[in-house]
Amino acid sequence: MTGILVFLLSLTAVMIIAAGVGIFWAIKSGQFEDMEGPAQRILMDDDDPLIPHNRLKDKEE
Amino acid sequence: MKFTCYHCGQPVPDDLDLTVKISGESRSMCCHGCQAVAKTIVDNGLQDYYLHRTSMPVSGQDVVPDELKKLSLYDHPDIQKSFVIENDAHMKEAVLILEGITCAACIWLNERHLKQLSGVKSAQVNYATHRARISWDENVIKLSTILAEIQLLGYNAHPYNAQTSDALRQKKRKLDLRRIAIAGLSAAQVMMLAVALYAGAAFGMETSTVQLMRYVSLGLTLPVVFYAALPFYRSAWYALRSRKLSMDVPVSIAIISAFIGSTWITFHGKGVVYFDAITMFALFLLAARFLEQGAKEKSVEAAENLLKLAPAMTIRIRDGKQEVVPVLDLEMGDMILAKPGEAIAADAVVVEGESSADEALLTGESRSVPKKPGDSVIAGSINLDGPLFLQVSGVGENTVLAGIVRMLDRAQAEKPRIAQMADRVAGYFTGVLLVLTLIAGGIWLWIDPSKTFEVVLAVLVVTCPCALSIAAPAAMAAAGSHLLQRGTLLTRGHALETLAQVNHVVFDKTGTLTYGKPVLQKSIALGKVDAELCLRLAASLEQASEHPLAASFLNAVDQSTLFLVEKAQNIPGKGVSGMIDGVAYTLGNITVVENRSITELGLPEEVQAGATVVWLASENETLGAFVLSDELRADAIELVSQLKQAGIRVSILSGDSEGAVKYFADKLDIDTYSSSMRPEDKLAALQVMQKAGDVVAMIGDGVNDAPVLAGAQVSFAMGGGTQVAHASSDIVLLSEKLVEIWHAIELGRESIKVIRQNFVWAIGYNFLALPFAAVGFVPPWLASLGMSTSSLIVVLNALRLK
């Protein structure tokens, strides 16, 4: 009983540290500065020219 | 057939044939500027912008070589010093404010294009603040090239001088977020273990397991107690050192004592641990303060963006030579040149040239303001029509813009009286609370020593007066930021609560109830031509004029019915002349008709005092006269009737003549008015009202209103009013919309109501919870939950203010 708990709790510790590092990194790299832009940006099809069909049309021009 | 410009959506002039091939289709453009911008976009493979945009951009401007030359000054190391950060030997980073962003596609366009440039390492645009962070390799690309590329896309970039205060604020924000993250992570885990421990206590659990969980909880609580909760100890220590009791004192006592107690229990067995209560308590408090801070900062940021829109460069004229210099180098009395379309660099007085200025960034009003020699212009406003030679009258901290920001700072520093009271009450409350806690602890020590600790902790936590302390500030912040969005700037803290009690509103006339600018009142036909045609002729003649009166004529007619004018000419000191359909007309002051007998012109008597008369004549005949005078603001009547309906008395105190004041008072249905008043008369009249017990709100704009504005319990200055008026008032109506006064009064009343509700709730909750906690019915975790719920309710209640 205690054995498995020790294992699970240490696993938790590892996860907390991982999550903490992740959040700290996110804060440090300024991901909480702009809460609006990224949501809009995802809608822009940056990869449009990468889709083969679109690339062909570009070449015809 | 009419086309609209594919780039900016403006109509395309008929005689223009400009096209750009976009995604295989030929699109028409309205001007060379738009064509150039669209071409740049297509040439760089960014035509997707046109698919994704959700609103039209501003029209492209022709990029003048001169402009580009000016940009090269930004490469100068001295100038870069103020806004460029050097990351590496030749890696540099700067923040730019982007002008012209209308939708998310604009951000995509800028980011993509800049990243394509060789030498640009990264480019990121913040959608919320319209600021771009760009880093580049100095050896490959120059900052001026980057700025020029942005301009080619049709946007304007200004370097943003990241002041230390801004950097500090960001650092603090990041620190706060880190503390919240720590508290959040710990609280989640500790709560989980706590559930297991409570369940274990109910159904039985091995001692070794209980001990294990306690040790883990203790470990998880360490970062909260020694890192996340530090701000509480610090502020409690400051409060104690200045012999005051702030709410951070019981908060710190609760956290520290609970931690020491629980740790002792963990190592020595027997009892209950409260690690869950500690972490939750810290998390909720930190989160509540973070939100409160955010609301405060928003209003500061809005004001600061104003300040940073002033340009960094300008053209100075010395010894007849023009040179481009940084604005920082300008001194009082310098001569500068503002070209049309440029932002004005400093507060200045027009020496030569006539133009109009767009002061929208200060007033929110897009209507341009005519400027002629002798007029003053403010830093950051845009010069629209012609070049202006200016003499600098204020730079840096002395500008109107900087003044507004300072006023805002002052308002934030001054706590409203009601909030000060809450702080004092919270102070006493804390004292009483600590005493009660000691008494309760003493009694329990006598009844059942084993439960003493739990009860003391519950009392401390449950009665934490956080809700009481944030009751007023939360409501004030919510109302203030809402008003700012509508163009009403609170400059003193007490304004809202005083507004709620106002029962008498006193107006100045000129510039406040009226526009303070001439508006066409009447067209009179004096010859064969009817009045309506006279007006059209007059407006046509004024088309080419830059005289302030010209706008009054042009606003009075339908622009599409104007005639084509040939040989249009300005005659200084007289008016304008021109040929329409082969007939020569002159429009101007009395000199236009001087040679003719005026009595025969038969000007009607109803022309009110102070009105301007403009005459229209053909070569041999006087055709008409136009009466221009000041006009009531569009919403003045609405405001007065709303105020009257709400039972608020309305009066006018004016320096103008009896006739003019009566004319407007009748129009507005105001019975009490006084005319020909000097500033000291106004103040005396105000004091009479105040002696009679009225709470007076004064609305004014001029230098002559300053004393009475300062004397009134609460006062509004018009955004376009003088600086002195701004400085002596409590509220500035940047929007210049009079109805906003009624809105502000309503919101003030609403705020006071909300603050009262919050007080009743916060105090009621604390007094209700205290006895339960004292007799031991409230376990610490429930106390913690109750405390934060009560704070949350207070904040949510404040957010209702709209």
Side-chain angles (χ1 to χ4, degrees):
Chain A
M1 176 70 178
T2 315
I4 190 73
L5 268 180
V6 170
F7 172 70
L8 285 175
L9 285 174
S10 2
L11 202 64
T12 314
V14 172
M15 284 187 177
I16 295 174
I17 290 169
V21 169
I23 294 175
F24 269 50
W25 168 78
I27 293 172
K28 199 172 174 223
S29 64
Q31 297 198 27
F32 291 96
E33 303 295 308
D34 183 5
M35 309 294 276
E36 232 173 304
Q40 303 272 353
R41 210 165 287 149
I42 195 73
L43 297 173
M44 302 292 151
D45 291 333
D46 274 7
D47 50 356
D48 221 29
L50 300 178
I51 301 167
H53 173 73
N54 291 346
R55 215 175 338 177
L56 279 177
K57 213 168 84 188
D58 274 354
K59 274 195 184 142
E60 276 167 15
E61 282 185 54
Chain B
M1 186 178 151
K2 280 264 176 193
F3 287 102
T4 54
C5 177
Y6 190 67
H7 179 72
C8 72
Q10 307 268 354
V12 178
D14 289 333
D15 49 352
L16 203 66
D17 185 28
L18 296 170
T19 56
V20 175
K21 207 170 182 195
I22 298 168
S23 302
E25 280 194 54
S26 194
R27 306 288 191 178
S28 49
M29 297 286 149
C30 69
C31 58
H32 290 280
C34 285
Q35 190 192 26
V37 171
K39 241 180 115 46
T40 313
I41 291 174
V42 174
D43 289 349
N44 286 288
L46 300 167
Q47 55 271 60
D48 278 3
Y49 164 71
Y50 290 107
L51 295 178
H52 296 307
R53 64 179 179 183
T54 50
S55 66
M56 292 290 180
V58 290
S59 313
Q61 308 146 344
D62 279 319
V63 180
V64 200
D66 217 30
E67 287 273 305
L68 294 180
K69 211 179 354 172
K70 230 167 108 180
L71 290 180
S72 69
L73 269 144
Y74 283 124
D75 294 335
H76 199 278
D78 281 350
I79 289 163
Q80 287 199 350
K81 225 186 292 168
S82 63
F83 61 88
V84 169
I85 311 151
E86 279 188 59
N87 284 340
D88 235 324
H90 39 80
M91 286 307 298
K92 293 193 171 181
E93 194 177 287
V95 178
L96 309 172
I97 299 180
L98 287 183
E99 244 186 301
I101 300 262
T102 53
C103 70
C106 297
I107 287 168
W108 175 84
L109 187 63
N110 278 296
E111 283 186 356
R112 284 280 296 222
H113 183 52
L114 292 177
K115 276 186 207 157
Q116 283 171 3
L117 302 172
S118 68
V120 175
K121 204 178 133 216
S122 77
Q124 270 182 343
V125 184
N126 185 323
Y127 185 68
T129 55
H130 293 187
R131 289 174 193 169
R133 179 177 290 277
I134 293 169
S135 65
W136 70 97
D137 186 340
E138 181 76 352
N139 288 351
V140 185
I141 195 166
K142 296 243 178 299
L143 178 61
S144 59
T145 323
I146 297 173
L147 292 175
E149 288 293 336
I150 294 176
Q151 212 158 61
L152 286 176
L153 287 178
Y155 301 90
N156 268 326
H158 310 281
Y160 167 83
N161 180 2
Q163 287 172 339
T164 39
S165 67
D166 197 65
L168 271 178
R169 205 161 56 214
Q170 275 209 2
K171 209 171 136 197
K172 189 175 175 313
R173 195 184 137 88
K174 284 185 175 173
L175 202 65
D176 287 347
L177 275 170
R178 273 210 287 271
R179 293 191 204 279
I180 291 174
I182 294 251
L185 279 172
S186 301
Q189 301 306 318
V190 175
M191 267 319 268
M192 223 153 63
L193 293 172
V195 171
L197 281 174
Y198 287 126
F203 304 110
M205 192 190 265
E206 272 176 58
T207 326
S208 63
T209 313
V210 171
Q211 275 312 103
L212 174 69
M213 288 189 173
R214 284 179 176 178
Y215 279 121
V216 174
S217 298
L218 170 62
L220 285 166
T221 311
L222 284 175
V224 177
V225 174
F226 288 103
Y227 179 73
L230 281 183
F232 302 130
Y233 313 150
R234 206 176 298 140
S235 111
W237 173 242
Y238 286 141
L240 285 179
R241 224 176 35 180
S242 53
R243 290 169 196 289
K244 272 186 211 138
L245 283 173
S246 77
M247 86 179 193
D248 284 318
V249 176
V251 167
S252 302
I253 294 176
I255 292 179
I256 294 173
S257 61
F259 180 72
I260 294 174
S262 300
T263 311
W264 194 81
I265 288 168
T266 306
F267 287 111
H268 296 273
K270 291 221 168 126
V272 188
V273 291
Y274 302 112
F275 294 120
D276 53 333
I278 300 172
T279 51
M280 294 281 271
F281 189 49
L283 174 65
F284 288 140
L285 273 181
L286 284 170
R289 286 194 191 175
F290 184 72
L291 290 178
E292 193 195 325
Q293 190 68 23
K296 248 193 217 160
E297 275 169 17
K298 242 184 205 160
S299 56
V300 181
E301 227 168 69
E304 272 191 348
N305 271 350
L306 281 181
L307 194 62
K308 278 153 191 167
L309 275 175
M313 301 290 191
T314 189
I315 301 171
R316 181 170 62 189
I317 301 167
R318 248 190 202 169
D319 310 324
K321 269 187 279 179
Q322 298 188 357
E323 48 176 349
V324 183
V325 294
V327 169
L328 287 174
D329 287 359
L330 284 183
E331 283 166 25
M332 299 276 281
D334 274 350
M335 289 288 297
I336 56 172
L337 170 66
K339 291 186 176 168
E342 270 183 8
I344 292 164
D347 284 6
V349 179
V350 180
V351 175
E352 204 185 314
E354 267 190 27
S355 179
S356 55
D358 177 358
E359 295 177 346
L361 85 153
L362 283 182
T363 59
E365 190 74 47
S366 54
R367 196 153 33 86
S368 59
V369 186
K371 297 291 178 192
K372 56 179 193 306
D375 284 351
S376 52
V377 292
I378 44 180
S381 63
I382 315 283
N383 178 19
L384 292 174
D385 303 330
L388 285 177
F389 289 90
L390 307 164
Q391 182 164 37
V392 175
S393 62
V395 285
E397 283 298 296
N398 295 323
T399 58
V400 175
L401 264 177
I404 289 193
V405 174
R406 269 202 304 275
M407 279 197 281
L408 208 71
D409 283 349
R410 184 185 59 194
Q412 272 161 346
E414 272 175 38
K415 271 197 177 175
R417 269 169 292 174
I418 197 158
Q420 281 169 5
M421 194 191 77
D423 272 5
R424 264 202 315 276
V425 172
Y428 290 130
F429 195 82
T430 308
V432 173
L433 179 70
L434 287 175
V435 173
L436 281 177
T437 312
L438 278 179
I439 295 172
I443 294 173
W444 272 99
L445 206 60
W446 182 52
I447 305 172
D448 180 3
S450 70
K451 281 198 85 180
T452 310
F453 183 59
E454 186 184 323
V455 169
V456 166
L457 196 61
V459 170
L460 275 178
V461 171
V462 85
T463 53
C464 163
C466 333
L468 185 64
S469 286
I470 61 173
M476 293 286 173
S481 83
H482 176 67
L483 282 176
L484 188 64
Q485 275 169 18
R486 300 185 61 130
T488 309
L489 174 69
L490 301 178
T491 70
R492 291 212 176 93
H494 75 83
L496 263 184
E497 49 169 316
T498 318
L499 266 183
Q501 302 152 14
V502 164
N503 59 9
H504 196 155
V505 175
V506 181
F507 292 95
D508 167 51
K509 185 184 75 73
T510 318
T512 305
L513 280 174
T514 68
Y515 288 108
K517 284 177 207 152
V519 174
L520 184 76
Q521 297 291 347
K522 207 171 172 65
S523 318
I524 305 152
L526 299 171
K528 284 173 229 142
V529 188
D530 71 32
E532 195 264 331
L533 187 60
C534 277
L535 179 58
R536 272 168 62 201
L537 287 168
S540 306
L541 287 170
E542 289 282 24
Q543 276 179 103
S545 169
E546 284 162 6
H547 194 273
L549 283 181
S552 320
F553 279 97
L554 289 169
N555 287 339
V557 295
D558 179 0
Q559 305 266 343
S560 61
T561 63
L562 294 181
F563 299 104
L564 187 68
V565 182
E566 287 163 48
K567 295 186 190 159
Q569 205 188 345
N570 276 317
I571 312 163
K574 194 170 176 189
V576 289
S577 69
M579 303 272 288
I580 295 172
D581 282 336
V583 184
Y585 294 97
T586 317
L587 178 76
N589 55 19
I590 192 78
T591 55
V592 169
V593 289
E594 215 165 26
N595 303 332
R596 294 156 202 153
S597 140
I598 293 187
T599 45
E600 118 195 11
L601 301 174
L603 197 65
E605 294 155 12
E606 72 242 45
V607 176
Q608 46 163 129
T612 313
V613 184
V614 177
W615 307 83
L616 176 71
S618 66
E619 260 167 292
N620 42 27
E621 191 191 2
T622 305
L623 294 175
F626 306 95
V627 182
L628 294 109
S629 75
D630 205 355
E631 199 183 39
L632 273 185
R633 283 181 194 271
D635 46 5
I637 294 179
E638 191 187 340
L639 172 69
V640 170
S641 76
Q642 269 169 340
L643 290 175
K644 282 186 158 180
Q645 257 175 33
I648 296 174
R649 278 191 295 283
V650 184
S651 320
I652 300 179
L653 293 179
S654 173
D656 214 340
S657 63
E658 165 86 29
V661 179
K662 185 177 183 325
Y663 172 79
F664 286 111
D666 286 347
K667 261 191 161 179
L668 287 167
D669 194 20
I670 296 176
D671 313 322
T672 43
Y673 59 87
S674 314
S675 52
S676 311
M677 299 196 98
R678 291 168 300 165
E680 54 267 40
D681 299 335
K682 286 190 178 188
L683 190 57
L686 178 87
Q687 280 160 352
V688 170
M689 293 174 199
Q690 286 173 331
K691 276 220 181 95
D694 286 359
V695 179
V696 181
M698 175 77 206
I699 296 118
D701 72 316
V703 177
N704 61 336
D705 297 322
V708 72
L709 285 175
Q713 277 99 336
V714 59
S715 51
F716 291 80
M718 301 306 284
T722 56
Q723 229 174 326
V724 191
H726 284 183
S728 12
S729 68
D730 306 310
I731 301 164
V732 180
L733 276 184
L734 294 173
S735 65
E736 299 237 316
K737 289 199 186 101
L738 287 175
V739 279
E740 292 300 330
I741 293 174
W742 170 238
H743 186 78
I745 293 177
E746 257 187 328
L747 196 68
R749 291 179 174 182
E750 203 63 34
S751 309
I752 297 301
K753 218 187 283 168
V754 164
I755 290 174
R756 285 219 183 98
Q757 289 166 355
N758 280 353
F759 277 164
V760 169
W761 166 257
I763 295 175
Y765 160 78
N766 277 345
F767 274 106
L768 210 70
L770 183 67
F772 287 101
V775 295
F777 284 170
V778 184
W781 65 270
L782 186 62
S784 167
L785 195 68
M787 182 282 305
S788 16
T789 317
S790 96
S791 305
L792 195 68
I793 287 174
V794 162
V795 171
L796 288 179
N797 193 28
L799 288 179
R800 283 192 311 131
L801 283 172
K802 273 218 172 104

